[in-house]
Structure formats: C-alpha cells, structure tokens
Amino acid sequence: MKYAMTMDGRIATHTGASKWITGEASRAYVMELRNRHKGIMAGIGTVLADDPMLNCRIENGVDPVRIVCDSHLQIPLECQLVKTAKDIETIVCYAEENEEKKKALMEAGVQLIKAEKDGQVDLKKLMMELGSMEIDSVLVEGGGAIHGSFLTSGLVQKVYCYIAPKMIGGKDALSPVL
C-alpha cells in the first residue's frame, strides 16, 4: 500500500483536491514502485475523483496491470483507464451485475472479474484470482476506503507512507485510512 499525506494526516482537502502533496523525489520513487509491481490497484472513488492513468512514467519502464475495485461498475467509459485499456492491461473487479456496462467495458478492452461478497468486492477472492493470473504483487494506491478494506482484510504486507511538510486541516479533509 502506498499513500502520501500531510503532517496532519490528510491525503486530500474536504473537496477531494490532492494533487502534489509530496515532492518530485517522492513521485519519482513511486514510479520505481510501479515499475517493480506486476499490478497497481485503486478504488472507484480514486478513479472518479482523479481520473488517474496508473501507469509507469519511467523511460523503458513497464506499466503494471491496472486494477480497479468497483462494486457497482460506476467506472466512466470516458475515463483515462478505459480509454487506454487496449494499450495497458486493465481489470475492473465488480460485485453487482450490469450487463450493458460490462459489454461496453469489454469492447473497450477492459477485463472483468466478479468477486462478490455481500454486495461488495471480496478482496481475498480478488487477490486469489489475480494470483491465478500470475499477478503476484499489487501496489494499492487508492484512498482511505480501499486502504481501510485492505488493512481490515489482512492483505497488506508493506506500507509506503510519504509525509509532506504541509498542513491541510479541516475536519472533513480526507485521511489515508477509513
């Protein structure tokens, strides 16, 4: 798991703004992490808030398989992950059926995995499925909800926490773990 936070333990303002909490050196190291891991994972909240690429931006680097936990298939067809799914392997894990959305995602080149438990993505089942696909290391780079779920499930082996010399403040500012 990887996240960047301010000295007051925040990963974003109350509006969700989180761009460039850390500096250039930290961001460069994160690209090295992405280059080393077979997969990178974020939750749908991060996708909706940031529209990330989740790729490796190192010359001659290898893009990790991009994985999104999206219980209700809310991922926009026009987001960067879907638009580039034919170029960079992209998987969406879901719990709730939506045949029309599934068809559109598959046509865009997105792979789908259903791993459901009580209407949510079953992370342990998902990790077993990813392992069977030879995705043997996953960097979870999301928000507080997915971080909390991974920690609660006992699936985190290492945490990369970057603490920036900044303060965001505010009772509604977002924290790294919910």
Side-chain angles (χ1 to χ4, degrees), residues 96-123:
E96 187 177 284
E97 292 292 337
N98 179 334
E99 291 305 319
E100 187 176 314
K101 187 69 165 272
K102 283 172 44 180
K103 182 179 179 203
L105 289 169
M106 288 188 289
E107 286 174 0
V110 174
Q111 298 174 56
L112 297 168
I113 296 175
K114 184 174 184 180
E116 187 269 339
K117 182 178 180 183
D118 301 325
Q120 298 295 315
V121 170
D122 182 331
L123 295 177

CSV table of all heavy atoms in Angstrom, one decimal, residues 96-123:
chain,number,residue,atom,x,y,z
A,96,GLU,N,-21.7,-6.2,-8.5
A,96,GLU,CA,-23.1,-6.1,-8.9
A,96,GLU,C,-23.1,-6.2,-10.4
A,96,GLU,O,-22.4,-5.5,-11.1
A,96,GLU,CB,-23.6,-4.7,-8.4
A,96,GLU,CG,-25.1,-4.5,-8.6
A,96,GLU,CD,-25.5,-3.2,-8.1
A,96,GLU,OE1,-25.6,-3.1,-6.8
A,96,GLU,OE2,-25.6,-2.2,-8.8
A,97,GLU,N,-24.0,-7.0,-11.0
A,97,GLU,CA,-24.2,-7.2,-12.4
A,97,GLU,C,-24.8,-6.0,-13.1
A,97,GLU,O,-25.7,-5.3,-12.6
A,97,GLU,CB,-25.1,-8.4,-12.7
A,97,GLU,CG,-24.5,-9.7,-12.3
A,97,GLU,CD,-23.3,-10.1,-13.2
A,97,GLU,OE1,-23.2,-9.7,-14.3
A,97,GLU,OE2,-22.5,-11.0,-12.7
A,98,ASN,N,-24.2,-5.7,-14.3
A,98,ASN,CA,-24.8,-4.6,-15.1
A,98,ASN,C,-24.3,-5.0,-16.5
A,98,ASN,O,-23.2,-4.7,-17.0
A,98,ASN,CB,-24.2,-3.2,-14.7
A,98,ASN,CG,-24.7,-2.1,-15.6
A,98,ASN,OD1,-25.0,-2.3,-16.8
A,98,ASN,ND2,-24.7,-0.9,-15.1
A,99,GLU,N,-25.1,-5.8,-17.2
A,99,GLU,CA,-24.7,-6.4,-18.5
A,99,GLU,C,-24.3,-5.4,-19.5
A,99,GLU,O,-23.4,-5.6,-20.3
A,99,GLU,CB,-25.8,-7.3,-19.0
A,99,GLU,CG,-26.0,-8.6,-18.2
A,99,GLU,CD,-24.8,-9.4,-18.0
A,99,GLU,OE1,-24.0,-9.6,-19.0
A,99,GLU,OE2,-24.5,-9.9,-16.9
A,100,GLU,N,-25.1,-4.3,-19.6
A,100,GLU,CA,-24.8,-3.2,-20.6
A,100,GLU,C,-23.4,-2.6,-20.4
A,100,GLU,O,-22.6,-2.4,-21.3
A,100,GLU,CB,-25.9,-2.2,-20.6
A,100,GLU,CG,-25.8,-1.1,-21.6
A,100,GLU,CD,-26.9,-0.1,-21.6
A,100,GLU,OE1,-28.1,-0.6,-21.5
A,100,GLU,OE2,-26.6,1.1,-21.7
A,101,LYS,N,-23.1,-2.3,-19.1
A,101,LYS,CA,-21.8,-1.7,-18.8
A,101,LYS,C,-20.7,-2.7,-19.0
A,101,LYS,O,-19.6,-2.4,-19.5
A,101,LYS,CB,-21.9,-1.2,-17.3
A,101,LYS,CG,-20.7,-0.4,-16.9
A,101,LYS,CD,-20.6,0.9,-17.6
A,101,LYS,CE,-19.6,1.9,-17.0
A,101,LYS,NZ,-20.1,2.7,-15.9
A,102,LYS,N,-20.9,-4.0,-18.6
A,102,LYS,CA,-19.9,-5.0,-18.8
A,102,LYS,C,-19.6,-5.1,-20.3
A,102,LYS,O,-18.4,-5.2,-20.6
A,102,LYS,CB,-20.4,-6.3,-18.3
A,102,LYS,CG,-20.3,-6.5,-16.8
A,102,LYS,CD,-21.0,-7.7,-16.2
A,102,LYS,CE,-20.7,-9.0,-16.9
A,102,LYS,NZ,-21.4,-10.1,-16.4
A,103,LYS,N,-20.6,-5.1,-21.1
A,103,LYS,CA,-20.3,-5.2,-22.6
A,103,LYS,C,-19.5,-4.1,-23.1
A,103,LYS,O,-18.6,-4.2,-23.8
A,103,LYS,CB,-21.7,-5.3,-23.3
A,103,LYS,CG,-21.5,-5.5,-24.8
A,103,LYS,CD,-22.9,-5.6,-25.5
A,103,LYS,CE,-22.6,-5.8,-27.0
A,103,LYS,NZ,-23.7,-5.4,-27.8
A,104,ALA,N,-19.9,-2.9,-22.7
A,104,ALA,CA,-19.2,-1.7,-23.1
A,104,ALA,C,-17.7,-1.7,-22.6
A,104,ALA,O,-16.8,-1.3,-23.4
A,104,ALA,CB,-19.9,-0.4,-22.6
A,105,LEU,N,-17.5,-2.1,-21.4
A,105,LEU,CA,-16.1,-2.2,-20.9
A,105,LEU,C,-15.3,-3.2,-21.6
A,105,LEU,O,-14.1,-3.0,-22.0
A,105,LEU,CB,-16.1,-2.5,-19.4
A,105,LEU,CG,-16.6,-1.4,-18.5
A,105,LEU,CD1,-16.9,-1.8,-17.1
A,105,LEU,CD2,-15.7,-0.2,-18.5
A,106,MET,N,-15.9,-4.4,-21.9
A,106,MET,CA,-15.2,-5.4,-22.6
A,106,MET,C,-14.8,-5.0,-24.1
A,106,MET,O,-13.7,-5.2,-24.6
A,106,MET,CB,-15.9,-6.7,-22.6
A,106,MET,CG,-15.9,-7.4,-21.3
A,106,MET,SD,-16.6,-9.1,-21.3
A,106,MET,CE,-18.4,-8.7,-21.5
A,107,GLU,N,-15.7,-4.2,-24.7
A,107,GLU,CA,-15.5,-3.7,-26.0
A,107,GLU,C,-14.3,-2.7,-26.0
A,107,GLU,O,-13.6,-2.6,-27.0
A,107,GLU,CB,-16.7,-3.1,-26.6
A,107,GLU,CG,-17.8,-4.1,-27.0
A,107,GLU,CD,-19.1,-3.4,-27.5
A,107,GLU,OE1,-19.2,-2.2,-27.5
A,107,GLU,OE2,-20.0,-4.2,-27.8
A,108,ALA,N,-14.2,-2.0,-24.9
A,108,ALA,CA,-13.1,-1.1,-24.7
A,108,ALA,C,-11.7,-1.7,-24.4
A,108,ALA,O,-10.7,-1.1,-24.3
A,108,ALA,CB,-13.4,0.0,-23.7
A,109,GLY,N,-11.8,-3.0,-24.2
A,109,GLY,CA,-10.5,-3.8,-23.8
A,109,GLY,C,-10.3,-4.0,-22.4
A,109,GLY,O,-9.3,-4.5,-22.0
A,110,VAL,N,-11.3,-3.7,-21.5
A,110,VAL,CA,-11.2,-3.9,-20.1
A,110,VAL,C,-11.5,-5.4,-19.8
A,110,VAL,O,-12.5,-5.9,-20.3
A,110,VAL,CB,-12.1,-3.0,-19.3
A,110,VAL,CG1,-12.2,-3.3,-17.8
A,110,VAL,CG2,-11.8,-1.5,-19.6
A,111,GLN,N,-10.7,-6.0,-18.9
A,111,GLN,CA,-11.0,-7.3,-18.4
A,111,GLN,C,-11.9,-7.2,-17.2
A,111,GLN,O,-11.7,-6.2,-16.4
A,111,GLN,CB,-9.8,-8.1,-18.1
A,111,GLN,CG,-8.8,-8.3,-19.2
A,111,GLN,CD,-7.5,-9.0,-18.8
A,111,GLN,OE1,-7.5,-10.0,-18.1
A,111,GLN,NE2,-6.4,-8.3,-19.1
A,112,LEU,N,-12.8,-8.1,-17.0
A,112,LEU,CA,-13.7,-8.0,-15.8
A,112,LEU,C,-13.5,-9.3,-14.9
A,112,LEU,O,-13.4,-10.4,-15.4
A,112,LEU,CB,-15.1,-7.9,-16.3
A,112,LEU,CG,-15.5,-6.7,-17.1
A,112,LEU,CD1,-16.8,-6.8,-17.7
A,112,LEU,CD2,-15.4,-5.4,-16.2
A,113,ILE,N,-13.6,-9.0,-13.6
A,113,ILE,CA,-13.5,-10.1,-12.6
A,113,ILE,C,-14.7,-9.9,-11.7
A,113,ILE,O,-14.8,-8.8,-11.1
A,113,ILE,CB,-12.2,-10.2,-11.8
A,113,ILE,CG1,-11.0,-10.5,-12.8
A,113,ILE,CG2,-12.3,-11.2,-10.7
A,113,ILE,CD1,-9.7,-10.4,-12.1
A,114,LYS,N,-15.5,-10.9,-11.5
A,114,LYS,CA,-16.6,-10.8,-10.5
A,114,LYS,C,-16.1,-11.5,-9.2
A,114,LYS,O,-15.7,-12.6,-9.3
A,114,LYS,CB,-17.9,-11.4,-11.0
A,114,LYS,CG,-19.0,-11.2,-9.9
A,114,LYS,CD,-20.3,-11.6,-10.4
A,114,LYS,CE,-21.4,-11.3,-9.3
A,114,LYS,NZ,-22.7,-11.7,-9.8
A,115,ALA,N,-16.0,-10.7,-8.1
A,115,ALA,CA,-15.6,-11.3,-6.8
A,115,ALA,C,-16.5,-10.6,-5.8
A,115,ALA,O,-16.2,-9.6,-5.3
A,115,ALA,CB,-14.1,-11.0,-6.6
A,116,GLU,N,-17.6,-11.2,-5.6
A,116,GLU,CA,-18.7,-10.6,-4.7
A,116,GLU,C,-18.8,-11.3,-3.4
A,116,GLU,O,-18.8,-12.5,-3.3
A,116,GLU,CB,-20.0,-10.6,-5.5
A,116,GLU,CG,-21.1,-9.9,-4.9
A,116,GLU,CD,-22.0,-10.7,-3.9
A,116,GLU,OE1,-22.0,-11.9,-4.0
A,116,GLU,OE2,-22.6,-10.1,-3.0
A,117,LYS,N,-19.0,-10.4,-2.4
A,117,LYS,CA,-19.4,-10.9,-1.1
A,117,LYS,C,-20.3,-9.8,-0.4
A,117,LYS,O,-19.8,-8.7,-0.3
A,117,LYS,CB,-18.2,-11.2,-0.2
A,117,LYS,CG,-18.5,-11.7,1.2
A,117,LYS,CD,-17.3,-12.1,1.9
A,117,LYS,CE,-17.7,-12.6,3.3
A,117,LYS,NZ,-16.5,-12.8,4.1
A,118,ASP,N,-21.5,-10.1,-0.2
A,118,ASP,CA,-22.4,-9.1,0.5
A,118,ASP,C,-22.5,-7.8,-0.3
A,118,ASP,O,-22.5,-6.7,0.3
A,118,ASP,CB,-22.0,-8.8,1.9
A,118,ASP,CG,-22.0,-10.1,2.8
A,118,ASP,OD1,-22.8,-11.0,2.6
A,118,ASP,OD2,-21.1,-10.2,3.6
A,119,GLY,N,-22.5,-7.9,-1.6
A,119,GLY,CA,-22.7,-6.7,-2.5
A,119,GLY,C,-21.5,-5.9,-2.7
A,119,GLY,O,-21.6,-4.8,-3.3
A,120,GLN,N,-20.4,-6.3,-2.2
A,120,GLN,CA,-19.1,-5.6,-2.3
A,120,GLN,C,-18.0,-6.5,-2.9
A,120,GLN,O,-18.2,-7.7,-3.0
A,120,GLN,CB,-18.6,-5.1,-0.9
A,120,GLN,CG,-19.5,-4.1,-0.2
A,120,GLN,CD,-19.7,-2.8,-1.0
A,120,GLN,OE1,-18.7,-2.2,-1.4
A,120,GLN,NE2,-20.9,-2.4,-1.1
A,121,VAL,N,-16.9,-5.9,-3.4
A,121,VAL,CA,-15.8,-6.7,-3.9
A,121,VAL,C,-15.2,-7.4,-2.8
A,121,VAL,O,-14.9,-6.9,-1.7
A,121,VAL,CB,-14.8,-5.8,-4.6
A,121,VAL,CG1,-13.5,-6.6,-4.9
A,121,VAL,CG2,-15.4,-5.2,-5.9
A,122,ASP,N,-15.0,-8.7,-2.9
A,122,ASP,CA,-14.4,-9.6,-2.0
A,122,ASP,C,-12.9,-9.5,-2.3
A,122,ASP,O,-12.4,-10.2,-3.2
A,122,ASP,CB,-14.9,-11.0,-2.1
A,122,ASP,CG,-14.3,-12.0,-1.0
A,122,ASP,OD1,-13.2,-11.8,-0.6
A,122,ASP,OD2,-15.0,-12.9,-0.7
A,123,LEU,N,-12.1,-8.8,-1.5
A,123,LEU,CA,-10.7,-8.6,-1.7
A,123,LEU,C,-9.9,-9.9,-1.7
A,123,LEU,O,-9.0,-10.1,-2.5
A,123,LEU,CB,-10.1,-7.5,-0.8
A,123,LEU,CG,-10.7,-6.1,-0.9
A,123,LEU,CD1,-10.1,-5.2,0.1
A,123,LEU,CD2,-10.5,-5.6,-2.3
